[in-house]
C-alpha cells in the first residue's frame, strides 16, 4: 500500500499538478502562521478573531483554506498580530 508521501511524490512528476500544488504554498504558509500564532499565544479562534477584527467563523474559514484572503484582509491580520505584511516576488 502506498503512503500519502509516495502518492504525492508520484503526482508531483506531472508538471500541471506540480504547478498547481506549488501555487497553493503561500496560502498554506499563511494558514500555518495563523494557527501557530494562536497556539503560541494560547488563544482560541474566537479570541484571535476578536483581536483581528473579524468573526470567528471567518477565521475558521481562513485556517481551513475555505477562503482565500484578499490583500486587505492580510493587512488587517498583520495589524492585529502587530506584524508587518511583506509580499515579494521571487
Amino acid at each position: 500500500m502506498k503512503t500519502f508521501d509516495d502518492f504525492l511524490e508520484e503526482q508531483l512528476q506531472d508538471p500541471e499538478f506540480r504547478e498547481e500544488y506549488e501555487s497553493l504554498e503561500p496560502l498554506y504558509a499563511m494558514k500555518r502562521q495563523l494557527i501557530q500564532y494562536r497556539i503560541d499565544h494560547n488563544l482560541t479562534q474566537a479570541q484571535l478573531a476578536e483581536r483581528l477584527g473579524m468573526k470567528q467563523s471567518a477565521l475558521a474559514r481562513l485556517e481551513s483554506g475555505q477562503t482565500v484572503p484578499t490583500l486587505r484582509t492580510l493587512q488587517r491580520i498583520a495589524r492585529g498580530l502587530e506584524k508587518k505584511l511583506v509580499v515579494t516576488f521571487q
Side-chain angles (χ1 to χ4, degrees):
M1 177 181 246
K2 285 185 184 179
T3 67
F4 175 75
D5 289 339
D6 292 336
F7 175 76
L8 179 59
E9 189 59 37
E10 185 178 291
Q11 295 303 306
L12 288 171
Q13 300 307 310
D14 176 357
E16 280 185 55
F17 181 89
R18 179 178 287 280
E19 183 178 342
E20 185 65 24
Y21 182 82
E22 289 175 353
S23 75
L24 295 173
E25 176 52 31
L27 179 61
Y28 284 104
M30 182 273 307
K31 288 173 34 172
R32 285 190 301 270
Q33 289 178 49
L34 272 178
I35 293 167
Q36 192 61 54
Y37 183 92
R38 244 184 351 96
I39 291 168
D40 291 346
H41 293 84
N42 199 30
L43 297 171
T44 65
Q45 277 186 339
Q47 291 167 325
L48 181 56
E50 183 177 335
R51 186 177 289 187
L52 300 177
M54 62 177 51
K55 294 181 179 183
Q56 179 274 330
S57 58
L59 179 58
R61 285 191 302 276
L62 281 173
E63 287 187 357
S64 70
Q66 294 175 12
T67 301
V68 176
T70 63
L71 184 56
R72 182 178 219 142
T73 299
L74 291 173
Q75 290 170 323
R76 178 192 301 174
I77 291 169
R79 278 193 307 274
L81 300 179
E82 297 180 349
K83 303 285 184 184
K84 180 180 177 182
L85 176 63
V86 178
V87 178
T88 63
F89 295 99
Q90 296 180 348

